[in-house]
Amino acid sequence: MTAHETPLLELDGLRITLPVRGQDRTVIHRVDLSVPAGTAVGLVGESGSGKSMTARSVLRLLPAGARTGGEVRFDGASVTAMGPAELRRLRSRDVAMVFQDPRAHVNPVRTVGDFLTEGLVTTRGVRPREAERTVTALLRDVGVADAARRMRQRPPELSGGLLQRVMIAAALAAEPRLLLADEPTTALDVTTQAEVMAIIDEARAARGLALLFITHDLDLAAAVCDRVAVMYAGGVVEELPARHLHGGARHPYTRALLASRPDPSAHGRPLRAVPGRPLPAYEAGPGCAFAPRCPAAREICRTERPEPAPAGDGLAACHFPAEVPAEAPPEVPAEVPAEPRTAVREGDRSTPHG
């Protein structure tokens, strides 16, 4: 590993349990992941796979009563062992997060300017006028026109796309070394999604930030990231270089997701779906969580959970990783509903204001 590849963020055997009706339920079984300084890693999976919980563990923003195992390290320091002062510094200076729903993370009655300058003034001691100049310039950098006027507006006056740009500016104002982007385009229309992702990618490259990008979209992750990790039922099942994703995936789940992508050129061909029912992490048994849906599963897959091991150009948690990647999985039974899992979810379209 070169100096450039020294991990800025390391998740080593991360495990998370949550109390549910008096019983601990495991929502993250095992996540091993590293994000080298200056690189981008995509964390991909369907809803409920544990992506957002994994990202929140980096800042210890977990639900009350959560218990963690394994280790989370930032720049070699244990996040799980940090005291209050160290944790405040991590959250205010070293790591910033862009959430999927910007309206849930701003005060609707305060101005955009108040929201953006507060952190600089209170945690860094920057003078208010200097802080205002800094964040106004950041708004322009992330594509907000008429930034001075936007500073005087309140969040409800902005469209979803504009407000997400404000959130990106707020994250960059802290001058972090690592940016966590948790499905930042989910609540936006398709055109705005592309614009917001371009802004994040350009800002990351210009500032040399590391990025952990949470998404449902395999193609988007491959386009903006250096490496892609695929999650299923609370664990990372495969990790490999983004450029090898389409031709080099070895885990049956990754290959099934790739095969389920809609193909505009395939007229009349029905959509393929991953067979079976998505499995919540807390329902996973002692074996491979994907075994009930895997056409290649054998007895050991049902009784013994596979450990991540070298497979092709990356790592796969599979007892029998494919040696030659297939173009598509076996035909799905007709009764399984076609529900592709790789498309970007549009969510509620934003209504522009002002």
Side-chain angles (χ1 to χ4, degrees):
M1 182 176 288
T2 66
H4 178 70
E5 294 173 334
T6 300
L8 180 65
L9 173 67
E10 295 177 275
L11 283 72
D12 186 4
L14 176 67
R15 178 184 175 90
I16 301 175
T17 60
L18 296 177
V20 179
R21 298 174 183 172
Q23 293 185 337
D24 284 343
R25 287 194 169 185
T26 301
V27 294
I28 299 293
H29 287 279
R30 176 171 181 169
V31 172
D32 298 289
L33 191 66
S34 64
V35 182
T39 67
V41 174
L43 191 56
V44 183
E46 56 196 297
S47 296
S49 61
K51 307 182 301 299
S52 294
M53 192 72 69
T54 298
R56 287 173 175 270
S57 71
V58 177
L59 292 172
R60 280 172 45 184
L61 295 175
L62 296 175
R67 297 195 307 175
T68 61
E71 188 61 84
V72 177
R73 289 184 291 271
F74 180 81
D75 200 15
S78 171
V79 174
T80 52
M82 284 183 177
E86 294 172 296
L87 190 59
R88 280 195 299 272
R89 178 180 177 85
L90 180 78
R91 293 172 174 175
S92 63
R93 294 175 179 265
D94 295 322
V95 183
M97 192 164 186
V98 179
F99 297 91
Q100 59 181 284
D101 183 3
R103 297 198 189 279
H105 296 89
V106 293
N107 187 331
V109 301
R110 299 186 65 191
T111 66
V112 168
D114 287 342
F115 169 71
L116 289 173
T117 59
E118 182 179 26
L120 292 177
V121 173
T122 59
T123 65
R124 299 200 173 206
V126 178
R127 294 181 181 275
R129 287 189 178 278
E130 182 181 347
E132 184 173 338
R133 286 194 295 269
T134 298
V135 297
T136 301
L138 279 173
L139 285 178
R140 297 191 185 101
D141 288 345
V142 299
V144 176
D146 200 1
R149 180 169 70 91
R150 299 301 186 186
M151 289 277 286
R152 298 190 297 271
Q153 291 183 303
R154 289 174 171 77
E157 299 177 75
L158 305 184
S159 69
L162 273 175
L163 193 55
Q164 193 63 293
R165 287 172 171 81
V166 169
M167 300 302 289
I168 295 169
L172 297 177
E175 298 182 355
R177 300 164 64 191
L178 170 66
L179 185 63
L180 307 174
D182 184 9
E183 299 191 62
T185 62
T186 294
L188 308 177
D189 63 73
V190 174
T191 301
T192 307
Q193 287 173 358
E195 294 172 354
V196 167
M197 280 312 306
I199 289 168
I200 291 176
D201 193 40
E202 290 170 5
R204 181 192 72 81
R207 292 166 170 78
L209 303 179
L211 171 68
L212 180 60
F213 175 43
I214 312 299
T215 181
H216 283 75
D217 192 327
L218 280 168
D219 288 332
L220 182 58
V224 303
C225 296
D226 302 296
R227 296 185 67 83
V228 174
V230 179
M231 285 196 74
Y232 181 76
V236 172
V237 297
E238 185 162 20
E239 182 187 351
L240 72 169
R243 66 183 182 277
H244 295 156
L245 175 65
H246 295 286
R250 302 300 178 95
H251 195 282
Y253 177 63
T254 308
R255 295 166 66 218
L257 282 180
L258 289 167
S260 72
R261 293 171 302 154
D263 183 358
S265 65
H267 299 292
R269 193 181 76 182
L271 292 174
R272 295 178 182 270
V274 183
R277 177 178 66 89
L279 190 71
Y282 61 81
E283 290 185 12
C288 173
F290 189 62
R293 308 174 71 186
C294 180
R298 307 180 195 178
E299 185 58 31
I300 189 175
C301 302
R302 299 179 178 87
T303 58
E304 185 176 323
R305 188 180 297 273
E307 301 289 328
D313 298 305
L315 299 172
C318 181
H319 292 300
F320 305 103
E323 294 185 7
V324 180
E327 290 297 322
E331 288 294 334
V332 178
E335 66 270 19
V336 177
E339 185 180 351
R341 295 282 174 176
T342 55
V344 173
R345 298 180 308 166
E346 284 192 29
D348 297 325
R349 289 182 176 269
S350 306
T351 302
H353 299 276

